[in-house]
Amino acid sequence: MQHAEALSLIETYADGELDAARTRAFEAHLETCTACQQALDAWTAERKAVRTALDVGPAPQTLRDQVRAATAGAAMRRRSGLPAWAMQAAALAGVAILSSGATFGLMQTARDDRTQTLFDAHMRAEDPGRAIEVASTDKHTVKPWLDARLDFAPPVSDFAAQGFPLIGGRLDYVDGRRAAVMVYARRKHMIDVFVRPSGDAAPPPLKADRRGFHLIGWRHGGFDWWAVSDVDPAELESLHKLLESPPAPGA
Amino acid sequence: MPERLLDPTEAKRFEALVLPHLDAAWRLARWLTRNEADAEDLVQEAYVRAWRFFSSLRGDDAKPWLMRIVRNCWFSRARTEAARGKHTSLEEAETEVETMLQSDAPDGAERRLIRLEDTALVRRALDGLPDEYREVLVLREVEDMAYRDLAEATGVPIGTVMSRLSRARKLLGERVKRLSVEAVDAAR
């Protein structure tokens, strides 16, 4: 492949939309061409900057509740005689008013409460299809997936031998900023481990409990960590220890 | 037109296939409407329509289908509100990109790249772009959607998606550059 052609294909290649034959030709050229490598790196960095700027985070909890309640409500009211969509619209309007009143007190106390955010994120992850965005027990799959979507490179480890197999990862938000989430299994339970570079904000450690869920937080290796789950707090501690000092391979 | 009601199995399917894309619908709506209050309204309206027309979903991937409903709701709203007049139209944007391309140095060597610290500028620049550019940018850059899915979501052929996305990226970069020059001048 000629240099000019390769340059013109960087956008399509980086979007993962080049066909197999041209991908091979492009990559062969890339190996020998520093200019194209630099152009590709610059392009990738620019895409990441745009992604970071445009990402406004998850839908607000109030909207989530309204949409959820409306769809659940409409399913039950099917026999009422009104068209489903009309009930739907009524439910949306009604719930909007109800929830803004009922949750107001809660919102006040939960404002700026990172602990609540983390519990919410963990519970929200129980929505179908949300818990894991990259499903893999292989850290060599999970890590590149996360790296490509974040402006930091989170440490990713698997502790299958210690009874905490890595089952996947996803992106989530802490204080409105993107965080990596590694999802571990513990028997039938799921543990979310949130990781984000340490900021200036008040650091962990912290421990908290909400309605059968437990949270621990710590700061280690330039990152802030939070583990959330409904497993026993002692088991969260074991995972915390493993994450702070991973056993040598084969140990 | 007789309404087709969802049986409980269909309701479960709706919950499993459509609800998980709420965050994506929100992010698209936020950039289409340019503010959070209107975005919430738009998402609610879109979910009501999605529920009503659930039978039109083919296959199990509801994301492009739902995104199309969100943007169609927005386009029908924006037309009536004439809200689009305040911002660059698609025609004006295309002309601007053409002019840029003609004066551009070979290989885009003169182009300043968007950097991570430009967040506020990128957001302002995006707000100034036409609907057709904002939607492809958000769906590609934030939602990672494939060209094929972008074509389905925006209702144009895949070739149009590719050229539109490419132009949208160029114009966004140019507008960010312009805003940062203005910011430097203003600070003087």
Side-chain angles (χ1 to χ4, degrees), chain A residues 3 7 11-12 14-17 42-43 45-60 62-68 70-72 74-75 78-79 82-86 88-89 92-93 96 124 127-130 149 151 173 178, chain B residues 3-8 11 14-16 19-20 22-23 26-27 30-31 36 39-40 43-45 47-48 51-52 107 111-116 118-120 122-123 126 137-138 140-148 162 165-166 169-170 172-173:
Chain A
H3 178 67
L7 260 190
E11 179 170 10
T12 322
D15 281 342
E17 300 272 357
W43 178 263
E46 186 179 55
R47 301 279 61 81
K48 198 179 257 194
V50 171
R51 176 197 291 274
T52 305
L54 301 192
D55 185 359
V56 292
T62 47
L63 178 62
R64 189 175 300 282
D65 293 343
Q66 283 157 23
V67 168
R68 207 176 231 308
T71 47
R78 282 185 315 111
R79 283 177 215 89
L82 273 177
W85 67 268
Q88 192 76 8
L92 276 168
R124 200 167 57 230
D127 286 359
R130 258 202 65 96
R149 285 158 180 79
D151 51 3
Y173 299 84
R178 280 212 166 185
Chain B
E3 289 299 328
R4 185 179 157 284
L5 302 184
L6 296 182
D7 64 36
F14 184 88
E15 198 167 296
L19 279 187
L22 177 62
D23 288 338
W26 158 254
R27 289 187 285 258
R30 164 62 186 76
W31 287 113
E36 300 201 342
E40 292 206 22
V43 171
Q44 293 196 7
E45 186 188 338
Y47 265 89
V48 170
W51 176 268
R52 187 179 173 187
D107 301 348
R111 205 158 84 83
R112 175 190 167 282
L113 289 162
I114 297 172
R115 299 163 312 186
L116 271 173
D118 292 336
T119 294
V122 178
R123 291 180 162 211
L126 187 78
L137 279 171
V138 173
R140 174 61 223 168
E141 308 287 35
V142 188
E143 302 304 330
D144 265 344
M145 281 170 63
Y147 293 171
R148 181 171 32 87
M162 290 171 72
L165 177 62
S166 188
R169 282 166 163 165
K170 286 195 178 78
L172 183 72

Side-chain angles (χ1 to χ4, degrees), chain A residues 158-160 162-166 184-186 191 235-236 238-239 242:
Chain A
D158 174 42
F159 303 110
Q162 291 77 26
F164 293 95
L166 176 71
Y184 292 91
R186 180 64 169 174
I191 304 176
E235 298 194 286
L236 280 186
S238 313
L239 181 59
L242 287 167

Side-chain angles (χ1 to χ4, degrees), chain A residues 73-113:
Chain A
M76 286 186 294
R77 290 189 202 91
R78 282 185 315 111
R79 283 177 215 89
S80 70
L82 273 177
W85 67 268
M87 293 308 304
Q88 192 76 8
L92 276 168
V95 172
I97 296 157
L98 269 181
S99 71
S100 58
T103 53
F104 185 71
L106 276 177
M107 302 268 289
Q108 288 292 84
T109 49
R111 182 173 295 168
D112 300 326
D113 184 352

